Amino acid sequence: MPYIHNTITGLMASSPAQSEFYQAVEEVLESLEPLLEKSPHYRKNHIIERMVEPERQIMFRVPWVDDNGEIHINKGYRIEFNSALGPYKGGLRFHPSVNASIIKFLGFEQIFKNALTGLQIGGGKGGSNFDPKGRSDNEIMRFCQSYMSELYRHIGPTTDVPAGDIGVGAREIGYMFGQYKRLTGRYEGVLTGKGTLWGGSLVRKEATGYGCVFFAENMLKSQGDDLKGKTCLVSGAGNVAIYTIEKLYQLGALPVSASDSSGTLYDAKGINLAHLKELKEQKRVSLQNYLEQYPHAEFVPVKDYPEDGHAVWRYKADAGFPCATQNELTEADAKALMTNGCNCISEGANMPSTPEAVEVFLRNKIHYGPGKAANAGGVATSQLEMSQNASMQQLSFEQVETRLKEIMHDIHQRCSETAKEFGQPHNLVLGANIAGFRRVADAMIEQGVV
Ligand code: NDP
Ligand code: 2IT
């Protein structure tokens, strides 16, 4: 359709060099074709032109001093993309690869993901090109305090509520919350993923990984199957990967891999979860150290990856859970997964599969749960944290997990019913994009040209 081409060309001219952002926009717009034909009023209201332009983009300097007294300057971002459905909501990513394109693609995805949860949350994202690797706790604290010294003036429990993402977990949220409270004097639910001692929700830590496995279980159950006894590949070794592995074990599956920025770990007997947590949550060291305790396992360093992809996707398995980062699963990886009999992919990460890989999954009609649907359990549980903070109540672990399970079931239902409505029942990319878009677009139209 010419309007897709025109929109992308327009973005390339007005926001140059943002390839991940164009990729995310293109995927959504392609799915919307049948909806736009059926409902021309979305075009008439210029909803797409409005949606691809963030409501507000905040960029700032983050100066900090390391343990040796050296001064460092990083870039800070917060993109407040769309507030039609509620306060801006989305994580903060601290990783050296962060730039405006990465934050914009994540913010754009977040709009539709948050809409799919059925909850009242708008879309936003932020972060910094700060590299936390090898930094002491004190350096992390000083960085977080400096970052919040600017961010605090833009956020609030009913305006914009950040959370974690890559490189931002409970430790960083704690330091940022402390600084926010010091600057404003207010103890309020301005961040989610907080420690459970001071306002955090039970299950928030586990929510993205658990939710991603629930989503896979929902896809399989729709055809009378489940995860029990299935061999599963998981990439990543952070928050999402660890709790994906935990829930896979709880449902009787066998997760055999993990990966990090140093390489891929494969343990045919099943990844030892307690040891994985010790290495990555406590010691914060490379996965390669797993071999010291479990020498039967295999470790493939990044330099030995196939030229056209990633070692983790080249093992035989029934299901795959990409839980590391964007574009970590290529067309060649997807083809290898298909050849090895994999028929289910549930994305814990944001946009982990390249467009060509997604094409392979759709062509093969496997169970494919795109990130904006499959990993929405994290942000949904963040919203449960906001609601507990606002009402000054605390739900039990079981209560939150039950809600999470229901929400993931409902997201799957919304995506698959929408996919059926448009005559492509297996295509949850189309289902997720249209269902998410429609909710946001309808709210925008009702709220006028703002
Ligand atoms: P973490 O920082 O906890 O873990 C990220 C993991 O991925 C680490 O093992 C890291 O390796 C690896 N990784 C990150 N970037 C790269 C890269 N460029 N190359 C190779 N490996 C990499 O982050 P999360 O688990 O929170 O996030 C993982 C994914 O899930 C991201 O796409 C995020 O956007 C998405 N997501 C997260 C949610 C959340 O609630 N946290 C919610 C929804 C989606 P190493 O250990 O070496 O650093
Ligand atoms: O990508 C995501 O959905 C997240 N990083 C979680 C966002 C949140 O606000 O919990």
Side-chain angles (χ1 to χ4, degrees), residues 192-336:
T192 59
K194 299 185 290 297
T196 49
L197 285 177
W198 44 276
S201 176
L202 292 162
V203 197
R204 175 61 191 88
K205 180 175 70 176
E206 295 84 356
T208 310
Y210 280 18
C212 171
V213 177
F214 290 146
F215 196 85
E217 187 86 340
N218 279 304
M219 291 195 289
L220 290 164
K221 284 217 161 120
S222 70
Q223 299 203 347
D225 199 359
D226 61 27
L227 280 162
K228 208 170 168 61
K230 297 242 180 336
T231 300
C232 301
L233 296 174
V234 178
S235 67
N239 173 265
V240 180
I242 287 173
Y243 293 95
T244 293
I245 291 175
E246 183 162 292
K247 185 51 76 180
L248 284 171
Y249 275 126
Q250 288 174 11
L251 295 185
L254 185 71
V256 291
S257 72
S259 68
D260 67 8
S261 52
S262 66
T264 290
L265 175 69
Y266 177 75
D267 185 342
K269 293 184 182 166
I271 296 288
N272 184 297
L273 180 61
H275 194 47
L276 178 68
K277 284 185 182 178
E278 184 188 333
L279 293 176
K280 299 307 284 191
E281 289 186 336
Q282 285 154 35
K283 297 187 173 156
R284 300 175 190 269
V285 293
S286 155
L287 276 177
Q288 184 151 21
N289 293 281
Y290 185 94
L291 299 196
E292 283 172 20
Q293 205 154 317
Y294 298 100
H296 67 267
E298 245 174 74
F299 183 79
V300 185
V302 171
K303 69 171 176 39
D304 295 339
Y305 279 12
E307 240 171 56
D308 55 1
H310 307 83
V312 66
W313 309 121
R314 305 303 170 99
Y315 294 99
K316 193 165 169 51
D318 305 304
F321 296 82
C323 298
T325 193
Q326 64 277 350
N327 294 327
E328 55 156 322
L329 197 164
T330 63
E331 181 177 18
D333 293 331
K335 286 182 174 160

Side-chain angles (χ1 to χ4, degrees), residues 65 131 136:
V65 180
D131 186 357
S136 69

Side-chain angles (χ1 to χ4, degrees), residues 2-321:
Y3 89 91
I4 301 183
H5 175 77
N6 293 344
T7 306
I8 302 288
T9 319
L11 288 176
M12 284 174 164
S14 64
S15 308
Q18 298 189 345
S19 57
E20 291 85 359
F21 177 51
Y22 314 144
Q23 182 184 333
V25 171
E26 195 161 356
E27 185 215 270
V28 170
L29 296 192
E30 276 173 5
S31 309
L32 295 180
E33 278 183 30
L35 174 71
L36 298 177
E37 266 168 40
K38 194 169 139 184
S39 311
H41 69 287
Y42 292 125
R43 297 286 303 283
K44 199 168 135 258
N45 279 285
H46 291 267
I47 291 295
I48 285 161
E49 293 87 329
R50 283 198 260 164
M51 243 187 229
V52 299
E53 197 57 39
E55 288 176 18
R56 194 171 299 103
Q57 306 188 54
I58 302 147
M59 287 175 67
F60 51 97
R61 177 170 77 199
V62 190
W64 58 282
V65 180
D66 71 18
D67 289 345
N68 300 319
E70 287 288 320
I71 297 171
H72 298 260
I73 311 294
N74 285 102
K75 282 182 184 293
Y77 301 86
R78 183 72 185 168
I79 303 214
E80 299 181 334
F81 226 117
N82 193 301
S83 61
L85 294 178
Y88 309 105
K89 184 80 198 87
L92 299 173
R93 177 178 289 191
F94 293 170
H95 192 271
S97 63
V98 162
N99 56 37
S101 171
I102 299 279
I103 300 298
K104 265 174 93 172
F105 112 67
L106 289 164
F108 187 71
E109 291 280 292
Q110 200 82 43
I111 303 170
F112 307 98
K113 182 195 305 192
N114 294 5
L116 281 172
T117 65
L119 304 167
Q120 297 307 145
I121 37 181
K125 199 83 188 188
S128 172
N129 61 353
F130 171 66
D131 186 357
K133 278 237 158 64
R135 290 293 171 195
S136 69
D137 269 3
N138 276 331
E139 288 175 322
I140 300 283
M141 180 177 74
R142 285 195 294 274
F143 177 80
C144 289
Q145 289 176 339
S146 180
Y147 182 85
M148 187 50 84
S149 297
E150 172 59 32
L151 189 68
Y152 85 98
R153 68 187 89 244
H154 307 288
I155 61 177
T158 58
T159 50
D160 184 356
V161 185
D165 194 82
I166 291 178
V168 178
R171 173 180 62 167
E172 292 74 19
I173 294 290
Y175 293 145
M176 287 191 273
F177 184 79
Q179 184 72 354
Y180 177 86
K181 184 160 57 74
R182 185 183 197 189
L183 291 167
T184 62
R186 290 197 295 270
Y187 200 114
E188 56 193 6
V190 69
L191 294 165
T192 59
K194 299 185 290 297
T196 49
L197 285 177
W198 44 276
S201 176
L202 292 162
V203 197
R204 175 61 191 88
K205 180 175 70 176
E206 295 84 356
T208 310
Y210 280 18
C212 171
V213 177
F214 290 146
F215 196 85
E217 187 86 340
N218 279 304
M219 291 195 289
L220 290 164
K221 284 217 161 120
S222 70
Q223 299 203 347
D225 199 359
D226 61 27
L227 280 162
K228 208 170 168 61
K230 297 242 180 336
T231 300
C232 301
L233 296 174
V234 178
S235 67
N239 173 265
V240 180
I242 287 173
Y243 293 95
T244 293
I245 291 175
E246 183 162 292
K247 185 51 76 180
L248 284 171
Y249 275 126
Q250 288 174 11
L251 295 185
L254 185 71
V256 291
S257 72
S259 68
D260 67 8
S261 52
S262 66
T264 290
L265 175 69
Y266 177 75
D267 185 342
K269 293 184 182 166
I271 296 288
N272 184 297
L273 180 61
H275 194 47
L276 178 68
K277 284 185 182 178
E278 184 188 333
L279 293 176
K280 299 307 284 191
E281 289 186 336
Q282 285 154 35
K283 297 187 173 156
R284 300 175 190 269
V285 293
S286 155
L287 276 177
Q288 184 151 21
N289 293 281
Y290 185 94
L291 299 196
E292 283 172 20
Q293 205 154 317
Y294 298 100
H296 67 267
E298 245 174 74
F299 183 79
V300 185
V302 171
K303 69 171 176 39
D304 295 339
Y305 279 12
E307 240 171 56
D308 55 1
H310 307 83
V312 66
W313 309 121
R314 305 303 170 99
Y315 294 99
K316 193 165 169 51
D318 305 304
F321 296 82

Side-chain angles (χ1 to χ4, degrees), residues 372-392:
K372 61 170 78 68
N375 72 38
V379 74
T381 308
S382 277
Q383 197 279 347
L384 301 180
E385 183 169 325
M386 289 163 69
S387 117
Q388 291 170 80
N389 292 159
S391 62
M392 297 192 183

